[in-house]
Every structure is written in structure tokens, then in C-alpha cells.
Amino acid sequence: MDRYEHVVVVGAGLAGVSAVGSLREQGYGGQITLVGAEERLPYARPPLSKAALLDTPRSADELLRPESFYRDRDVTLRLGTAATALRPREGVVELGNGNRLRADAVLLCTGGSPRSINVPGADLGGVCTLRTAEDAARIRDHLERGGPVVVVGGGFIGTEVAAAASARGCPTTVVEAGALPMLGALGADVATRLAEAHRERGVTVRTGVGVRAFTGDGRVRNVVLTDGSTLQAELVVVGVGMAPEVRLAVDAGLTVGDGVQVDALGRTSNPSVWAAGDVAAVSTGDEHRRFEHWQNAKERGSALARAVLGGTAPPAFVPWFWSDQYDLNIQVAGEPAPHDARCWRGDVEALSFSVLHHRDGVLTGITAVNSGKDVRPAIELIRRGTALDIDALADASTTVKALLKAAR
Ligand SMILES: Cc1cc2nc3c(=O)[nH]c(=O)nc-3n(C[C@H](O)[C@H](O)[C@H](O)COP(=O)(O)OP(=O)(O)OC[C@H]3O[C@@H](n4cnc5c(N)ncnc54)[C@H](O)[C@@H]3O)c2cc1C
């Protein structure tokens, strides 16, 4: 007998879709409704800042699942309809179209929205953010027309957009307030090399400077920087991070900090509401951490379903994400601390290398550029947390795969 008759999943992104798939995989036989504010079938976001901006975008193959996936699993789709209120005590989810769904358990997978910057001219035409397929189509149309592009924010989405814009022949500038693009995620050495790689490919990288204003005549024409200089722009893409979509949770009285706070199982402060993906801030014991990556939404979305059905905590989660820029595949896994020791493998100059971060011989992270083969064995080593032979770790001729084999 199922514990819940009707599970309502709010948010039809990767976390929500992973949750509904996993509910059925685990044998849940009750009713499932997936509520999504966007009209289209759930799709993958990573291509939006990559292939979708290039000359030959793929389209239908970027769906997370074909329509038959939902039909075969008897999942009711309510797309193009936002949930407007959760009433956990009454067991109800209210929808924007006036409907009310009875819900014994609610899985909150509402992701987030791009942050904007609060400067004069931020509402001019041609100043965009990127989160949805519609945003990507708009940016792609601008790139097709050509003209100078300014990307504000040198995070992963910003640098991917810059790579696509310059690959399409648009004069492109990245404006990053910090010392280097991608500095926080990659550390100074790797971020320096990647900033060089952007410059080598024709992108202007401006660091240590912010935006004072956008100016134009209804459409953006110029970006005025905080050092007083001005950049011409026909398109501005603001990539300064995202804010978790917590409004429903706040209104329902759930505990919310930087995201909806959940325990390791995905339970919120209300026993019938659960959360996963970009919106959820997961307890690590002494703090709550939010992750904005594909793997997190996928794994934790699936784990949520198991937990709702009474399962135990998922296996240790190793944060992992990737980025594609030009011909460069960048992958970062684990959570190394800045003072961890590092061993390098490969050729930094040739942009084919990995950095192993370790503490007392235990692998804490990997940063890999065009060295994808090192990543999976490294993730396994990080997950296990066993101490490695320090000499083998320091010996660049010992592959990560060999380190894993030796650790078995
Ligand atoms: C452009 C881009 C590129 C990326 N590239 C990478 C990458 O290369 N590698 C990587 O690891 N990660 C990448 N990511 C991050 C990754 O895509 C996200 O971490 C992942 O999509 C999060 O999934 P989610 O289901 O938590 O949230 P989302 O994908 O945001 O889905 C949430 C859904 O909930 C809906 N929703 C919100 N509120 C409501 C409501 N009230 N009612 C109904 N529906 C609602 C939203 O409309 C949305 O469709 C990228 C993200 C973006 C935006």
C-alpha cells in the first residue's frame, strides 16, 4: 500500500523529471502530477549556452525525456501552469489557472531565476539574461545579426556565451568584477590559463571592473563601466548568477535561507514537502549548501523519490559539473579547500591537463581540462575518501585510473 495517494511535483526541470522517473522505478503506484510553469516539454538547460547559440542548434533532442516517457509512466503533465500556493496542512497545491490539486506529498523542484543587475538602463532592449529556451533563442537571433557583444559576469554561463558569440564572429568582451573569470570554481592557476585561452580566441577579458550603466535609444548601444570607460554593445548578456525560486516555500512557511532548507534526504521543515535541485539548500551538518549543477539536480531529484517512499539517505554526493567553451571541455568535481595540496597531470600550455587536489593523501577534488578520462575515477576516489599512496599521487605518469585500481 503506497504511503501517499497523490504526489505533486512542482517544477518540470531536471530535478522534477528525475523525481517522477525514480518514483515509478521504485514501484510507486499512486498518482503523480508534474506541474511546470513553462509551456514546453521539460528540456535540458546546458545546451542553451552552448550548441543552441551556434550555427547548427539541435532542438528536439534536447528534451529531457520524450512525451512517451510521461505517458508510459502514467504521469499527468500540467505544463504552462505555475503553482501559485502550497497548502500543506490542507494537502492542496493551487495553480495559476484556478485549479486546486489534492497533494499528499509535494516535491518542490522550482529551480531559480537569473539575477539581474540594478543599474540605469538595465531594462533597455538587447540586455538579456539566460535561463530558458526562449532566452537562448533571443540571444541566438542577436548573434545572427552580428555586432558587438558584452557579457557581464565571467562565470560559466557568461564565458560559454562569450565563446559562442566570438565563434559566431561577434566582437566580444567579458566584464568580470573579480580578478579573473571562473576564479572561484577553478582557482587562480587554471582560471588564468582559461582567461588566456579566451583572449587567444579573440575575446576581450576585462577584470576588476563592474558596470555603471547601460545607455541607448530604447535599445542598448553602450555599456559604461565603473572605471569610466565605455564599450559598444548591440547585445548584453548578464550572467551574474541565479536566485533560487523560493516564493512558494516562503509563503507556505517553510524554512528558507539561500534556498529551501532540506536535510540529507530532501525533507523540508514541513513533513509533507520535499525539495531538490537548484532550489534546495541541503544540510551538511553545520550549514546548508545549494548546488546549481546538472548532476546535483539529477541525483538529488532521484534520491528524493526514494526518500519519499521511505528509503534511506543516498550515497555520499560528490559535486560535479562541466562546461564546454570552444574546443575545451572543463570538468570540476569534489570540494577542494584552497590550502589542499595539488598534483598536476598533462600539459597546461596545450590545455589538456588535470589537477588533483588532496589532503593527507585523500583526494578532495579534480579540475580537468580536456581530460575527461580522469574525472570518473577521481569522483570514485573522492567518494571513497581512502588515503592514496603519496608517491603515486605525485607521480604524473601514474594515471588517475591506475590510482583507483591500486586503491581497490
Ligand atoms: C544556460 C545554462 C547552462 C548550464 N550549463 C550547465 C553545464 O554545462 N553543466 C552543469 O553541470 N550544469 C549546467 N547548468 C545548470 C543545470 O542546468 C541546472 O543545475 C539544472 O537545470 C537545475 O535543474 P532544476 O530542475 O533544479 O531547475 P530548473 O532546470 O530551473 O527547473 C525548474 C523548473 O521549475 C519551473 N517552476 C518554477 N516555479 C514554478 C512554479 N511555481 N510552478 C510550476 N513550475 C515552476 C521553472 O519554470 C523550471 O522549468 C546550466 C544552467 C543554465 C541555465
Side-chain angles (χ1 to χ4, degrees):
M1 175 78 176
D2 287 312
R3 193 160 149 211
Y4 303 113
E5 279 177 33
H6 188 186
V7 176
V8 175
V9 180
V10 179
L14 179 61
V17 170
S18 303
V20 301
S22 179
L23 278 169
R24 288 293 187 233
E25 252 170 50
Q26 304 296 312
Y28 174 66
Q31 196 183 343
I32 302 176
T33 301
L34 179 60
V35 181
E38 295 182 72
E39 293 276 353
R40 58 180 75 210
L41 277 175
Y43 57 91
R45 297 192 196 282
L48 301 182
S49 46
K50 308 174 182 71
L53 302 182
L54 296 174
D55 296 330
T56 49
R58 292 170 291 156
S59 50
D61 55 343
E62 306 302 359
L63 290 181
L64 289 173
R65 298 288 191 173
E67 195 161 12
S68 56
F69 172 87
Y70 307 97
R71 206 172 40 241
D72 295 348
R73 284 160 186 76
D74 195 16
V75 173
T76 305
L77 291 175
R78 295 289 200 111
L79 301 177
T81 317
T84 48
L86 310 181
R87 310 219 175 281
R89 246 196 246 152
E90 300 157 45
V92 164
V93 173
E94 290 180 3
L95 304 184
N97 62 8
N99 288 354
R100 286 161 66 91
L101 300 176
R102 191 181 51 72
D104 304 306
V106 175
L107 313 193
L108 208 51
C109 301
T110 45
S113 316
R115 289 187 196 278
S116 47
I117 50 173
N118 189 14
V119 297
D123 56 351
L124 284 171
V127 178
C128 308
T129 53
L130 175 53
R131 182 83 191 173
T132 65
E134 285 71 25
D135 297 336
R138 211 168 301 129
I139 292 170
R140 185 184 145 78
D141 286 350
H142 279 291
L143 295 182
E144 249 157 32
R145 288 199 289 274
V149 175
V150 173
V151 176
V152 180
F156 280 100
I157 291 180
T159 47
E160 287 175 359
V161 171
S166 80
R168 301 207 61 172
C170 300
T172 304
T173 304
V174 174
V175 177
E176 163 58 45
L180 281 167
M182 301 174 278
L183 178 61
L186 300 179
D189 298 351
V190 178
T192 300
R193 181 66 192 96
L194 284 164
E196 269 172 32
H198 277 275
R199 289 187 173 115
E200 286 160 9
R201 287 157 177 78
V203 171
T204 304
V205 180
R206 299 281 305 267
T207 56
V209 67
V211 171
R212 184 176 291 160
F214 302 112
T215 60
D217 45 9
R219 287 200 49 75
V220 68
R221 300 288 175 211
N222 292 296
V223 181
V224 184
L225 302 184
T226 47
D227 64 2
S229 59
T230 297
L231 303 171
Q232 280 192 340
E234 292 293 320
L235 168 69
V236 172
V237 181
V238 177
V240 294
M242 55 145 277
E245 195 55 67
V246 296
R247 196 186 55 76
L248 289 175
V250 170
D251 291 352
L254 307 183
T255 306
V256 173
D258 173 34
V260 180
Q261 295 192 350
V262 297
D263 65 10
L265 288 170
R267 285 184 294 217
T268 69
S269 54
N270 185 297
S272 58
V273 185
W274 312 64
D278 284 10
V279 75
V282 184
S283 171
T284 58
D286 34 353
E287 55 170 356
H288 285 83
R289 300 272 315 278
R290 217 164 47 71
F291 299 90
E292 298 170 5
H293 309 138
W294 176 269
Q295 194 65 15
N296 170 65
K298 189 163 183 270
E299 281 188 30
R300 296 221 202 249
S302 299
L304 201 58
R306 288 192 294 276
V308 168
L309 301 178
T312 49
F317 173 70
V318 178
W320 167 68
F321 69 89
W322 81 94
S323 174
D324 294 313
Q325 305 176 15
Y326 316 101
D327 52 348
L328 304 175
N329 170 258
I330 305 160
Q331 299 193 46
V332 178
E335 295 186 275
H339 54 266
D340 287 350
R342 296 181 306 163
C343 299
W344 296 71
R345 277 159 174 71
D347 185 341
V348 177
E349 219 20 61
L351 287 162
S352 173
F353 63 93
S354 48
V355 190
L356 300 179
H357 308 255
H358 61 98
R359 206 175 308 148
D360 305 324
V362 175
L363 210 60
T364 54
I366 180 168
T367 310
V369 176
N370 283 351
S371 297
K373 64 181 184 325
D374 290 347
V375 175
R376 287 205 180 274
I379 289 175
E380 187 49 33
L381 285 167
I382 297 166
R383 197 188 311 273
R384 289 189 197 178
T386 43
L388 302 172
D389 182 287
I390 290 283
D391 292 336
L393 197 50
D395 175 6
S397 68
T398 309
T399 64
V400 186
K401 205 170 160 193
L403 287 174
L404 176 61
K405 207 167 167 199
R408 282 190 204 283

